Every structure is written in structure tokens, then in C-alpha cells.
Amino acid sequence: MAEDDANMMIRRQSSSYDFHMNPLEGKVTKVAIIGAGAVGAACASNLILLKVCSEVILVDIAEDRCEGEVLDLEDAGFVSGVRVVKGTFAEAGQADVIVITAGIGQKPGESRIQLIGKNKAVLKSIFSSMSPVNPDAIILLVSNPVDILTKVAQDLSTLSKHQIFGSGTFLDTQRFRIAVASKVQVAPSAVNAYVLGEHGDSQFAATSSATIGGVPISLFESLTPEFLNEAAEAAKMRAYEIIDKKGATYHGIAACVATMVDSVLNNRKMVFPLSVLDKKANVCISLPTILGRDGAEKILPLQLNKEEHAKYENSCKTMREVLDQFE
Ligand code: NAD
């Protein structure tokens, strides 16, 4: 083979592996976290310890709290060399990835709809303070109700829909996978099963297409329909249980956020259930999605049986009813 042909072949071969390459390699990679509360601080800690980016920018209207978190997190920076700074909204708007963990908690006697109205106003003020946002930024919504706020953020922003998505049922999916994995004694990463739909009460586990190491879960004797229902219910209720015992949940979601940001900055094209736009239903809802440098790059086709499909439709309807009260 002529040398030119050989070189061409090598080039062709390497181009088919482009997605393994980090388009930001060698660049300063900045991740802004808006909301330096329990979730925001835990996300920053994971990004620093796992060395996901080169700089974390923390922003909060509670200035002292934010400064305190930055000082505390700086003390962890020696592990990886990741810089952590307190920033302005304008600086956050120029980051590569912007994680929104700001929110207002529910007050006694306040309805869910009133709470959503308040958090929608928080989101509006964040977007106007960040403006103009880096046109290549990826925005990850974590604040609850995450599906509703993701849709609000997509409508507020001029960025493409794939650049804005929510953490959705990522955490619920990990909870479900861990329960299944421990039942059959395999690593959670060997379990390919999703919790889909709303990050909330109408979510469901899509078990009809689930596999363990490529083997349908229906072939595992211990994974009875009763066990799978219980595991799905436990995954849904786990946040309530944690909040009941310690007031908030943050370690689990922070690990999920660091994994998602890593998939974006390193263009890993990992598949996660993310809150993305279902165009037909006009809601943001969790579906298996390829996550890379362009954000939520591709939604994978749903493999649901009739019963799961009805649950998905119900989740969309629930979300649409809430959105109709605000749009
Ligand atoms: P928290 O009360 O500890 O922190 C919220 C922070 O947001 C506070 O520091 C507050 O000052 C800040 N904030 C409020 N308005 C702001 C604004 N306009 N600009 C900047 N900062 C602002 O709450 P938390 O425990 O950190 O939870 C944060 C959010 O994450 C909540 O909405 C919670 O429900 C959500 N959450 C989501 C998941 C998930 O799976 N998606 C999991 C856990 C928590």
C-alpha cells in the first residue's frame, strides 16, 4: 500500500473515533454553579475532587454563604488543583457549563403551584442577570420541580433546546439500578434499566426493555414483578425518606451532576435519562439521551410496552397540566 493511502486510512480510522477526543482538552474549562446551597456546594466538591474541570465558579444571592463555601472548598483544591472562585452572574454566563441549583424551599401552607411560581421568578432573574450567555454554553437544571423549570429555561433562553436540559430521573435511575444490582449481586453499571417520565410522583421504571449484561431481566428468577415494583416505588420515595431523616438530599445528585458535566466537557456521549423536550407533548420529561459537548445531542427511541407507554403519557399529561397554569 502506498504511504499516502496508509496515512489516509489512519486518518479515516481515527476520525471514526472522534467522539473519544476531548474538544476542550488543554483549554481552561469553567463550570458555574448558581445556588451555593447544600446541592450546589456538594456539586462543586464532586467537580473538584473528581477533577472534572479546571475552574468552578460559585454564585449565590446569599453572599456570605457563597463566600464561606468558596473558602471551605478551596481547602479541598489541593487534591486536584481545580480552582474555585466566587463569581458574578455575568461571569457565570460565560462558563462552558452552567449548573442551576438555586431555589426557594416550600413554606408551610404554601401550595406546590405557588412554589413553582416563585422558582420560575428566580429562574427569570438568573437568566436576565447572566445575559448575554455564552452561545456555546450548556445549561443543566437541577432545581425542582426540575422538568417544569427546564421547560421554563428553554423558553426563556435563546440557546438551542439541546443546550438546556435537566437532571430529570438520572438520580432515580441510579437508585433503581442499585436495588436491582444488589438483588442479583452484580455491579450497578451492569444494569441497563431506566426510570423515565417525571422526576416526581408519576415516574416509572421501564423494566420491559431492561437488561443485565445484555440479558433481559425477565430471565433473572429473583427479579419478580413484585420485587421490581417495590424497587421502583422505593426509588421514588427515597428522597422523602432522606429529607425526613436529615432535611435535604445532596450527595447523590452531586455525583450525578459531576458525571453529566464530565460527559459534556469530555464529549463522552454517555446515555442518561435526562429531562429533554418531548416536542409532541411540549413538555420536558426524562428520556434516554446521548450527552456530549453539544449537550443533549440525541434522544434515543423509546422501547416501552403498552402499560409503560400509558404511564409515560400520564407523566406528560401531569406536566402539561402544571405548565398550563403558567404559560
Ligand atoms: P438550599 O436552600 O440549600 O440552596 C438553595 C440556594 O439557592 C440558597 O443558597 C439560596 O440563597 C440560593 N438562591 C435562591 N435564589 C437565588 C437566586 N435568584 N440566585 C442565586 N441563588 C439563589 O437548597 P438545596 O438543598 O441546595 O436544593 C437546591 C435545589 O435542588 C432545590 O430546588 C432542590 O429541590 C433541588 N434538588 C434536586 C434534585 C434532583 O434530583 N433534581 C435532588 C436534590 C435537590
Side-chain angles (χ1 to χ4, degrees):
M1 190 189 301
E3 200 179 329
D4 274 0
D5 289 346
N7 284 341
M8 176 69 81
M9 199 133 153
I10 289 165
R11 267 202 299 280
R12 279 219 194 97
Q13 278 170 357
S14 63
S15 75
S16 67
Y17 289 108
D18 273 355
F19 65 86
H20 286 307
M21 286 157 51
N22 177 0
L24 298 176
E25 207 159 35
K27 242 193 83 181
V28 172
T29 46
K30 297 189 181 192
V31 178
I33 301 177
I34 311 225
V39 173
C43 289
S45 172
N46 274 260
L47 292 171
I48 293 167
L49 297 179
L50 296 170
K51 207 177 178 175
V52 173
C53 52
S54 40
E55 185 172 310
V56 175
I57 304 167
L58 224 51
V59 182
D60 199 301
I61 47 167
E63 300 261 348
D64 277 354
R65 161 107 207 214
C66 189
E67 234 164 84
E69 288 296 358
V70 168
L71 292 173
D72 200 5
L73 287 159
E74 263 179 345
D75 291 347
F78 74 93
V79 172
S80 59
V82 173
R83 227 164 85 89
V84 54
V85 295
K86 176 170 173 274
T88 61
F89 286 95
E91 285 162 347
Q94 297 314 302
D96 299 297
V97 180
I98 302 164
V99 182
I100 300 187
T101 58
I104 297 177
Q106 199 156 9
K107 300 261 167 349
E110 195 170 50
S111 75
R112 188 163 171 257
I113 297 297
Q114 283 170 319
L115 180 71
I116 295 170
K118 274 191 187 173
N119 280 320
K120 185 179 171 184
V122 166
L123 205 54
K124 262 190 168 168
S125 91
I126 290 171
F127 270 84
S128 84
S129 309
M130 285 197 303
S131 175
V133 169
N134 165 16
D136 296 324
I138 301 301
I139 303 185
L140 165 54
L141 270 294
V142 177
S143 310
N144 275 320
V146 68
D147 303 295
I148 302 293
L149 294 183
T150 302
K151 179 72 171 67
V152 169
Q154 286 190 351
D155 292 345
L156 281 173
S157 175
T158 52
L159 298 186
S160 298
K161 304 282 183 252
H162 62 83
Q163 289 174 269
I164 304 178
F165 58 91
S167 55
T169 53
F170 188 118
L171 177 56
D172 313 276
T173 293
Q174 299 313 322
R175 287 168 174 158
F176 181 69
R177 288 181 181 187
I178 288 168
V180 170
S182 75
K183 186 75 175 170
V184 290
Q185 293 290 292
V186 292
S189 59
V191 180
N192 207 333
Y194 296 107
V195 172
L196 299 175
E198 178 194 13
H199 172 61
D201 293 343
S202 69
Q203 66 179 226
F204 64 97
T207 52
S208 67
S209 58
T211 62
I212 296 175
V215 178
I217 61 166
S218 57
L219 298 181
F220 290 79
E221 244 174 58
S222 58
L223 300 178
T224 59
E226 293 72 31
F227 171 81
L228 293 172
N229 280 340
E230 271 168 31
E233 194 58 23
K236 192 196 308 183
M237 300 309 289
R238 199 170 167 93
Y240 295 112
E241 193 186 340
I242 298 170
I243 290 168
D244 204 36
K245 291 190 158 83
K246 59 173 273 192
T249 73
Y250 40 89
H251 295 305
I253 186 63
C256 298
V257 166
T259 307
M260 286 183 271
V261 173
D262 174 54
S263 194
V264 171
L265 292 179
N266 292 305
N267 201 24
R268 293 200 195 281
K269 315 269 188 202
M270 295 180 81
V271 176
F272 303 126
L274 303 176
S275 189
V276 288
L277 183 68
D278 176 322
K279 285 190 187 143
K280 190 166 149 253
N282 195 23
V283 297
C284 284
I285 190 158
S286 283
L287 291 167
T289 306
I290 299 173
L291 183 59
R293 185 61 193 95
D294 291 330
E297 293 179 357
K298 189 166 193 275
I299 300 173
L300 298 183
L302 264 189
Q303 293 268 305
L304 300 178
N305 66 19
K306 213 171 147 198
E307 194 187 331
E308 291 163 349
H309 192 74
K311 286 179 180 168
Y312 180 76
E313 293 290 319
N314 177 51
S315 225
C316 288
K317 187 168 156 272
T318 308
M319 228 87 76
R320 178 70 355 245
E321 281 168 5
V322 174
L323 284 164
D324 281 344
Q325 300 187 52
F326 292 101
E327 284 176 346

